[in-house]
DNA sequence: GCACCACCTAA
DNA sequence: TAGGTGGTG
């Protein structure tokens, strides 16, 4: 993992991340939005997206980044997009209805500066197709295997070849389902295989979906095998910047029951409540609620 | 529309 | 048991 350490750039500040704590950085990178960031020693996170590789860590001034020297020129701009540094996330969170929602206010206070990443659309779809009834650690394991076994090296000239990009959908279409199962995908292998074949047969479909209005984009995603409402909303929230997407998983169901009294409500009802109660940035509220509830569960354990 | 269950595998 | 989906009754 550290064979390339000598050729990494010096740490540089990432714009618009002033005051972002190590805990919030960890929650952002490793809290269920993305599955390719791995904690190193000393609070450093190392990760890859598209054909980029970076290390991130919290400093007293904000987040600092480093990249393999050969890739660093491209990383700077790519990281700004990925981390959505042009958005003032604190100001955005301040527009959420926390003044009339004490629980939401507590969530905002617990994770100041929490943000939504803008990940590559296709990669986000792949990650969340792996996510059904799996914990983050296991999803990360599957995704790592997919990358090392079926994705191209990001640094082709390097002997280490330590970093691989995720396989593209056309590449996945060529991988036999049995080999996908060998990446610990289980029954998800069938979904990924079928989705890959569909996407390979329909060039441009994914790009059109990413560009479509939220409701249409979600409806299109839901036609893919293995993609239901929850996965579609995750893909749109974490891979397309659609902050109105409000994914409802078991954690949100739990939160809404415990904190909002919505006991025994179904996913569809909770989704409707979330959109109307939290408004056009419901997805951002969801991420705060989600982070808060998981932290509370860890404390209780 | 809603409740149930199979689908894989690893911790 | 786990951060779902799809098929069935």
């Amino acid at each position: 993992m550290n064979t390339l350490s000598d050729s990494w750039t010096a740490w540089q500040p990432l714009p618009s991340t002033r005051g972002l704590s190590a805990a919030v950085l960890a929650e952002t990178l490793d809290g269920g939005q993305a599955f390719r960031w791995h904690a190193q020693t000393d609070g450093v996170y190392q990760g890859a997206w598209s054909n980029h590789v970076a290390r991130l860590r919290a400093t007293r001034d904000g987040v600092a980044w480093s990249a393999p020297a050969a890739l660093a020129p491209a990383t700077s701009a790519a990281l700004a997009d990925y981390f959505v540094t042009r958005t003032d996330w604190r100001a955005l969170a301040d527009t959420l209805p926390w003044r009339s929602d004490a629980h939401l206010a507590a969530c905002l206070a617990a994770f100041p500066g929490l943000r939504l990443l803008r990940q590559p659309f296709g990669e986000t779809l792949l990650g969340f197709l792996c996510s059904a009834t799996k914990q983050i650690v296991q999803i990360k394991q599957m995704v790592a295997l997919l990358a090392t076994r079926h994705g191209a090296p990001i640094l082709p000239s390097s002997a280490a070849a330590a970093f691989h990009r995720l396989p593209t959908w056309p590449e996945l279409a060529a991988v036999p389902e049995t080999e996908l199962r060998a990446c610990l995908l289980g029954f998800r292998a069938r979904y990924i295989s079928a989705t890959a074949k569909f996407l390979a047969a329909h060039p441009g479909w994914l790009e059109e979906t990413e560009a479509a209005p939220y409701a249409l984009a979600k409806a299109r995603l839901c036609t893919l095998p293995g993609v239901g409402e929850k996965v579609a909303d995750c893909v749109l929230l974490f891979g397309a910047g659609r902050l109105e997407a409000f994914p409802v998983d078991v954690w949100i169901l739990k939160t809404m029951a415990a904190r909002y009294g919505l006991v025994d409500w179904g996913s569809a009802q909770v989704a409707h409540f979330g959109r109307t109660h939290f408004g056009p940035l419901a997805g951002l509220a969801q991420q705060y609620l989600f982070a808060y509830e998981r932290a509370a569960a860890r404390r209780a354990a």
Side-chain angles (χ1 to χ4, degrees):
Chain A
M1 251 342 199
N2 288 318
T3 50
L4 297 171
S5 58
D6 287 346
S7 56
W8 287 70
T9 65
W11 292 100
Q12 333 187 26
L14 187 61
S16 89
T17 57
R18 183 163 303 280
L20 201 72
S21 70
V24 173
L25 178 65
E27 183 64 31
T28 303
L29 298 176
D30 205 13
Q33 297 190 48
F35 304 112
R36 298 207 67 196
W37 291 93
H38 299 272
Q40 318 284 105
T41 51
D42 300 332
V44 173
Y45 274 90
Q46 179 169 283
W49 72 101
S50 183
N51 55 341
H52 305 290
V53 176
R55 287 175 180 166
L56 255 30
R57 71 181 171 94
T59 73
R60 69 181 187 289
D61 292 325
V63 176
W65 68 275
S66 169
L71 303 173
T75 307
S76 180
L79 194 51
D81 287 340
Y82 183 91
F83 221 71
V84 197
T85 58
R86 72 183 160 286
T87 295
D88 184 340
W89 287 93
R90 287 171 197 266
L92 208 56
D94 194 54
T95 69
L96 289 170
W98 58 271
R99 290 170 183 82
S100 55
D101 181 336
H103 179 62
L104 181 59
C107 296
L108 296 187
F111 295 91
L114 187 66
R115 65 185 59 209
L116 270 350
L117 300 171
R118 176 67 139 100
Q119 302 174 72
F121 195 63
E123 293 189 359
T124 314
L125 174 60
L126 179 57
F128 282 93
L129 270 172
C130 295
S131 71
T133 65
K134 284 293 177 190
Q135 303 198 341
I136 295 171
V137 254
Q138 298 171 293
I139 301 167
K140 285 169 73 170
Q141 212 176 139
M142 301 178 193
V143 166
L145 283 170
L146 282 171
T148 43
R149 294 185 183 177
H150 302 292
I154 292 178
L155 289 167
S157 61
S158 163
F163 301 104
H164 291 246
R165 45 173 305 146
L166 245 21
T168 64
W169 283 107
E171 285 166 352
L172 283 167
V175 177
E177 193 181 314
T178 52
E179 286 190 38
L180 294 180
R181 283 183 185 263
C183 295
L184 311 181
L185 293 182
F187 63 82
R188 301 154 199 83
R190 185 163 43 87
Y191 295 150
I192 290 171
S193 200
T195 289
K197 290 193 168 81
F198 173 87
L199 293 177
H202 300 267
W205 190 94
L206 211 47
E207 291 75 10
E208 287 167 29
T209 302
E210 183 179 4
Y214 168 70
L216 176 57
K218 181 171 175 179
R220 284 170 64 106
L221 284 173
C222 285
T223 66
L224 295 173
V227 179
E229 300 236 346
K230 191 272 180 183
V231 168
D233 273 331
C234 285
V235 173
L236 290 168
L237 186 58
F238 307 133
R242 301 300 169 75
L243 270 49
E244 65 265 57
F246 189 80
V248 177
D249 55 33
V250 298
W251 286 98
I252 292 301
L253 243 24
K254 224 179 287 184
T255 292
M256 289 312 203
R259 319 278 182 184
Y260 292 82
L262 310 187
V263 180
D264 289 332
W265 283 40
S267 300
Q269 286 74 35
V270 166
H272 181 259
F273 174 89
R275 282 191 294 270
T276 55
H277 180 72
F278 297 115
L281 303 179
L284 182 58
Q286 180 270 359
Q287 203 57 26
Y288 275 102
L289 296 171
F290 182 81
Y292 187 96
E293 206 59 37
R294 287 181 65 238
R298 282 197 296 272
R299 279 196 299 275

